[in-house]
Every structure is written in structure tokens, then in C-alpha cells.
Amino acid sequence: MTGASSEAGQAIEAVFRIESARIIAGVTRIVRDVGIAEELAQDALVAALEQWPESGVPDKPGAWLMATAKHRAIDLIRRKETYARKLAEVGRSLTEAQPPEYSEDPAEDIDDDLLRLIFTACHPVLSTEARAALTLRLLGGLTTQEIARAFLAPEPTVAQRIVRAKRALAKADVPFEVPYGADRAARLASVLEVIYLIFNEGYAATAGDDLVRPALCEDALRLARVLAGLMPREPEAHGLAALLEFQASRIPARTGPDGEPVLLADQNRAKWNRPLIRRGVEALHRAGHGPYSLQAAIAACHTQAIRYEDTDWATIATLYGRLMALTPSPVIELNRAVAVSMSEGPAAALPLIDALADEPALKDYHLLPSVRGDLLERLGRGAEARAEFERAATQTHNARERRLLLERAARCGSCGGEGR
């Protein structure tokens, strides 16, 4: 490959990664099928790979790809008599445009198309796993291999998950639209959940050798920003964006030089990303009082503390109490107990932890014995703390966390009955 071809190939890859979601969204408005739209977007990519090394990269490469994909969509509709009516509706305004000369009109409702695509990819007809995979594929621009690596799943499994998701949307004849009223509230919750789950998997990997997968966090954060920008009047969209901005700001300090976990109390706060924190504060001002907004307010308490010792744990415990009242969950109660232990002492929190012992949802949740071990260690009950840390180590599937838990168990054993 010549130098010019190599440069064109790199430009194509970069542009397509950035613009693919908008292209797929714009084409889906024409063909009303996300699977077909993705294929047409790929066709436009192939056309660029064939033409740009010879003709050079256009001044507006994203617009060129968009126009090419739309023209192919119109050609497809022309070949299908059943789409004659749609051609009459959408073809009139597009048939005269030529891809190289296409200029992107700011008034065109591409953003609206992108919003429709987000809601389509996260439709409740799909399972949570399918929504996450399809969202990363269509909106994150990730390949099947990248998605499989992100979730530590076999590539064929992820590929089938994406194919079935597209078929399910087509079979259910899911409209390419943003719902309104009660349907919108229900669908928005699904959209927010998927983005939140994607970020969480990157922030604290459930399995594998790495504690954090920053690329996955970046994709989720970008999606949250897009959603908040497209839905400025939805407080929870801003709440989720604020939460992810705050959490992402702490990623550089969460691991040591060799990738080992660094506990919150030991993190170098100078490494926290201040621009992201400022973005989080701005988003929080536009947020409401829903679950993501409350979690963002909790995260804000951490980022506002200059030192770990300055953390306002009493306010955090109160916020977790409000969150518990809004969306009851044993995991939220576990987090509230941690905040109580920091504001009122480990003895006050231990009964709260013990009350969760029989919760089915926490049966194999490694953070329950981990937190209990921490409380027991602080109370000077070293032998009991060691047993809890060892039990937590058997329950986690993340190698980095397992190593940390076993190290804490060993320290408890070496200090006998004394606390740290």
C-alpha cells in the first residue's frame, strides 16, 4: 500500500468510526430497517476504500459517506416495488444530490435520526444483553470482535446476538421513532440502563485480568453525552451524563503502575481528571431527582473532597437512603451501609450488613463479604475478617480483585486480632 493509500485508509477508518452511527441513523429513516441500514453504511465504506485513495479524501468525508449510503438506500427502494410509496416520499429531495458535492445541511434532522436509532437499539423487545451489543455496534461503532472482548464473550455468541437482535426488531416491526408519553418514559429507562451497564462493565470488569477497560467507559460516556445533548429536557439523561463524567474522572487513579486496584482511600486525587469533574458539575445542575441524578450527587461528594478524610459521608449516607426509597435494592443498601460505617463507625454498619446475609441477589456477590471483612478488620476482629476476604476472593471472577482480596486476607492473618 502506498503512502497516500495508507493515509486514505486511516482517514476512512477514523471518519467511519465517528460518523457510522449518524450514517446508519440517516439511512434507517429511509429503509426503516437497522440491519439493512448498517449494510448500506458498510457499502458506503467500501466505496470510500475504493475511491478515496485515487480521488483523495473529500473536504467533508462524513457528508460524502452519508450521501453515498443514502443514494444506495434509494437505489434499493427503487428495486423493490413494495417500497414505491416510500420512494415517492423520500426520493424527491435526494435524487439530485451527488455524493462528492453533497453538503451537510445543519437543518437536516440527522440528530433526530440518531435519537431514533438510540431508542430503536434499546427497544424492550430485546434482552438487555442484546440491547448492549447492538448499541455498541450501531452507536459505538465497535466491531463484533471488540464487543466480544469487552464483555469476555465468545465472538460467535456476540455475532449471533447482534443478528438476532436485528431480526427481532424487523419481525416486531419496531417503528423508527422516538416514543412519547408513557412509552417514552419506559423506553428512556431502557436506554439509560444500557448505557449505564456498558460503562459499569468498563469501570469494574466482572471478569478477566483487567480491573478497568477504559475504552468501554469512553464509549458509554460518549453515548451519554449524545443522549443528553439530544434530549436537553430529560433530567435523568443529564443525571446519567453527570454520573459517568464523575466516575470517568477517577479512572486514572483506580489502578497502579501494574494494573493493580487502588482503593478509594489510597488514590492519588491529583490524578483525577478535573475537566471531566467540571463537566459532571455542569450536567448535575441540569439533572433532576431520579436514580441516576442521586448517584451523580453521591459521586459529586467524592470528587469535591480534596482528601479522603474530607469526604462528607453523612451526606452520602443520606443520599443512599433517598436512593433506596426510590429504587429499593440490596446493592444500594450495601453501599449505604458502607457510608454509615464511615460516618458513624463500623459497629453501626455491621448490623445493616448482617441483615443482607440472606438476600438471594447477594448470594454470590463478592462485595458483601468484602465489605463485611473490612468492617470486621476495623473492629479488630482479624480472624473473622480474614475468612470474609477469603470468601469474597472465591466469588469474584476478576483476577485483579481476587489478588487484592487475598492480600487483605493475608494482612489480617499477620496482624492477629488487631485492627489495621
Side-chain angles (χ1 to χ4, degrees), residues 162-324:
I162 293 172
V163 169
R164 288 170 183 159
K166 295 175 186 174
R167 288 176 181 168
L169 292 175
K171 184 178 181 180
D173 196 22
V174 173
F176 185 61
E177 64 181 16
V178 177
Y180 294 91
D183 288 342
R184 179 180 220 172
R187 294 271 291 279
L188 178 61
S190 174
V191 172
L192 296 174
E193 178 190 25
V194 166
I195 296 175
Y196 178 72
L197 290 175
I198 291 171
F199 183 90
N200 273 358
E201 183 57 33
Y203 189 76
T206 54
D209 296 328
D210 298 319
L211 179 71
V212 178
R213 298 191 179 94
L216 205 55
C217 292
E218 290 170 8
D219 283 313
L221 179 56
R222 181 168 59 82
L223 291 174
R225 288 172 178 171
V226 168
L227 186 63
L230 296 178
M231 305 184 73
R233 297 182 181 179
E234 291 290 349
E236 274 298 81
H238 293 293
L240 178 64
L243 172 61
L244 301 195
E245 299 281 6
F246 287 135
Q247 297 295 76
S249 74
R250 290 153 53 182
I251 289 176
R254 294 192 70 236
T255 54
D258 297 323
E260 70 278 10
V262 179
L263 298 176
L264 180 61
D266 302 323
Q267 288 177 15
N268 179 357
R269 300 190 174 213
K271 292 184 177 181
W272 288 5
N273 189 312
R274 294 297 157 184
L276 289 184
I277 292 174
R278 286 194 292 271
R279 289 184 65 113
V281 171
E282 291 171 1
L284 188 57
H285 286 322
R286 296 189 290 272
H289 305 284
Y292 296 111
S293 299
L294 286 172
Q295 291 181 69
I298 292 169
C301 287
H302 288 294
T303 59
Q304 289 169 1
I306 298 176
R307 300 176 306 162
Y308 181 76
E309 295 78 11
D310 299 328
T311 306
D312 187 353
W313 289 106
T315 295
I316 291 175
T318 300
L319 288 169
Y320 270 123
R322 289 171 56 187
L323 185 60
M324 187 69 183

Side-chain angles (χ1 to χ4, degrees), residues 19 60 130 156 164 181 251 271 291 301 365 369 387-388 395 399 401:
E19 299 290 341
K60 296 182 178 180
R164 288 170 183 159
I251 289 176
K271 292 184 177 181
C301 287
Y365 190 52
E388 291 295 334
Q395 293 178 346
E401 283 190 317

